[in-house]
């Protein structure tokens, strides 16, 4: 197995979404900064203001920083906090999907477009209609259809919504009730809007029952990612306050998905967020930790490690290095 490798040492970077475009790896991370905001459960200390794009010809090769590709000052509807983005390619254009609080402090998901994978990206004048919460991750299903997975609890505001409508109370369900789910939605053919109402990404336990809200070691918290392996759909995510990257397998992009296990044990830091990509016949887990900043949760550094499957298609657990 390849060694874990930090990718950038002159900037803090997190939530890396990696893709292979034109035979190279492109990485779209959050760009962490020290904004001097005290740490809280709402994530106010994650006060990021721009994105950089990085590329590599080889998994062990030099990491090229393509500079600032989108700045908060150029987004007409911006309030604060550019969180974890993702990029999809269709018909000659690259679409950068990003979560950002609007001027009323509500997270929405925006889109910015480029002709090149390395940007720069030009933002649309408004967020996606009907979008809410954080952490968009887009699956190219290979048949012309693209699906966005999104959502995040606590500071990510997912608990404020039921059936895609904002609700008054905005609490998580009781421990013995079904857990809140990530959302999945098909994108329009031209990519910048939702083609339908978002649906729940249901995760079932070994008995076929939906995971419960109190099942903090398995229930969805944030950081959706979807990849396909041997014809199956692998939905992976962070459990947030228990700091695990887990996954569940389904037969189609909408699920339901059955919980399988842990991909990555806790890393140094609070958040854990990742992407999984195949490159030249091997699979890789891009993720982050806070080791280089001495454990500051809001100053993270992205890294990569090889990911391996067992013969039955389950994923071998990787040690995140905290314990
Ligand atoms: O980077 C800000 C937030 O922290 C992301 O949106 C979450 O997934 C967590 O990694």
């Amino acid at each position: 197995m390849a060694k874990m490798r930090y990718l950038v040492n002159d900037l803090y970077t997190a939530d890396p979404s990696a893709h292979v475009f034109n035979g190279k790896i492109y990485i779209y991370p959050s760009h962490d900064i020290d904004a001097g905001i005290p740490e809280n459960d709402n994530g106010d200390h994650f006060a990021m203001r721009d994105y950089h794009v990085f590329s590599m010809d080889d998994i062990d090769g030099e990491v090229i920083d393509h500079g600032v590709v989108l700045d908060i000052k150029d987004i007409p509807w911006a309030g604060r906090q550019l969180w974890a983005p993702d990029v999809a390619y269709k018909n000659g254009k690259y679409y950068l999907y990003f979560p950002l609080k609007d001027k009323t402090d509500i997270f929405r998901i925006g889109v910015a477009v480029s002709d090149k994978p390395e940007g720069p990206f030009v933002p649309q004048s408004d967020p996606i209609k009907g979008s809410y919460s954080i952490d968009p991750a887009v699956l190219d299903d290979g048949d012309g259809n693209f699906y966005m997975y999104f959502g995040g609890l606590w500071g990510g505001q997912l608990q404020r919504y039921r059936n895609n409508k904002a609700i008054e109370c905005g609490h998580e369900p009781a421990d013995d009730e079904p857990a809140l789910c990530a959302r999945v939605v098909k994108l329009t053919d031209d990519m910048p809007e939702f083609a339908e109402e978002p649906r729940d990404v249901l995760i079932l336990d070994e008995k076929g029952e939906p995971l419960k809200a109190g099942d903090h070691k398995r229930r969805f918290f944030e950081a959706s990612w979807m990849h396909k392996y041997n014809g199956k759909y692998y939905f992976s995510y962070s459990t947030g306050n228990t700091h695990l990257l887990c996954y569940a397998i389904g037969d189609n992009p909408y699920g339901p998905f059955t919980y399988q296990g842990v991909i990555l044990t806790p890393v140094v830091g609070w958040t854990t967020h990742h992407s999984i990509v195949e490159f030249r016949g091997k699979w890789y887990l891009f993720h982050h930790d806070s080791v280089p900043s001495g454990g500051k949760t809001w100053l993270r550094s992205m890294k990569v490690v090889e990911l391996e499957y067992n013969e039955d298609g389950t994923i071998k657990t990787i040690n995140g290095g905290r314990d």
Side-chain angles (χ1 to χ4, degrees):
M1 175 167 299
K3 277 202 351 229
M4 266 254 199
R5 174 193 179 202
Y6 287 101
L7 294 166
V8 174
N9 54 26
D10 58 342
L11 291 176
Y12 288 109
T13 53
D15 314 321
S17 292
H19 291 276
V20 178
F21 295 131
N22 309 324
K24 288 190 195 186
I25 297 179
Y26 285 86
I27 314 168
Y28 304 91
S30 302
H31 173 199
D32 283 358
I33 53 168
D34 198 342
I37 296 170
E39 221 173 329
N40 59 29
D41 282 350
N42 206 31
D44 288 332
H45 48 301
F46 296 108
M48 298 84 102
R49 303 192 56 82
D50 63 30
Y51 296 118
H52 286 232
V53 174
F54 300 86
S55 66
M56 310 192 279
D57 287 338
D58 217 301
I59 200 74
D60 301 319
E62 188 189 357
V63 179
I64 309 290
D65 179 354
H66 296 278
V68 174
V69 299
L70 180 63
D71 193 303
I72 199 166
K73 69 176 169 36
D74 298 321
I75 303 171
W77 54 275
R80 60 182 180 132
Q81 295 182 296
L82 276 174
W83 283 13
D86 193 18
V87 166
Y89 169 78
K90 188 173 185 185
N91 293 343
K93 299 258 185 242
Y94 296 83
Y95 297 87
L96 172 71
Y97 297 93
F98 58 90
L100 172 67
K101 281 183 179 158
D102 66 14
K103 294 182 196 304
T104 66
D105 233 26
I106 303 294
F107 266 116
R108 307 280 177 207
I109 297 172
V111 191
V113 187
S114 178
D115 295 331
K116 294 179 291 192
E118 69 272 27
F121 290 86
V122 178
Q124 309 260 42
S125 52
D126 294 291
I128 297 176
K129 280 191 283 304
S131 68
Y132 57 92
S133 199
I134 61 166
D135 289 0
V138 177
L139 171 74
D140 173 355
D141 204 13
D143 60 356
N145 291 315
F146 288 73
Y147 299 88
M148 180 188 290
Y149 298 82
F150 69 92
L153 295 175
W154 298 11
Q157 303 179 342
L158 187 64
Q159 67 280 1
R160 298 187 186 180
Y161 297 85
R162 300 288 189 280
N163 300 318
N164 302 316
K165 301 270 180 307
I167 54 167
E168 284 293 316
C169 85
H171 297 310
E172 286 177 75
D175 281 0
D176 59 349
E177 291 185 271
L180 291 177
C181 296
R183 306 290 196 263
V184 52
V185 60
K186 192 190 272 194
L187 297 174
T188 49
D189 280 344
D190 59 350
M191 298 295 271
E193 296 291 344
F194 292 168
E196 58 186 3
E197 287 271 302
R199 308 179 195 187
D200 282 354
V201 177
L202 195 58
I203 304 176
L204 306 175
D205 66 12
E206 58 292 346
K207 295 187 189 129
E209 298 293 326
L211 295 183
K212 297 277 197 294
D215 190 350
H216 289 199
K217 287 198 160 166
R218 299 194 296 178
R219 64 92 172 84
F220 170 81
F221 187 95
E222 63 184 4
S224 294
W225 189 257
M226 176 60 76
H227 75 279
K228 287 165 78 176
Y229 179 73
N230 284 348
K232 298 279 186 192
Y233 292 78
Y234 285 59
F235 176 69
S236 48
Y237 57 96
S238 164
T239 61
N241 55 329
T242 51
H243 316 289
L244 300 166
L245 284 181
C246 293
Y247 73 110
I249 298 181
D251 293 324
N252 67 73
Y254 291 113
F257 301 90
T258 303
Y259 178 85
Q260 301 292 321
V262 172
I263 297 175
L264 185 73
T265 65
V267 296
V268 170
W270 199 95
T271 68
T272 185
H273 190 130
H274 68 300
S275 58
I276 295 171
V277 68
E278 186 181 17
F279 183 60
R280 297 185 187 149
K282 290 189 170 188
W283 287 86
Y284 297 96
L285 177 75
F286 287 78
H287 57 296
H288 67 234
D289 70 27
S290 296
V291 170
S293 70
K296 293 192 176 72
T297 57
W298 63 97
L299 294 178
R300 302 160 292 177
S301 295
M302 63 176 174
K303 52 201 298 204
V304 63
V305 66
E306 193 177 340
L307 174 142
E308 293 180 319
Y309 298 87
N310 296 304
E311 286 210 344
D312 63 0
T314 55
I315 293 175
K316 293 186 182 175
T317 302
I318 297 168
N319 186 341
R322 186 195 288 185
D323 305 312

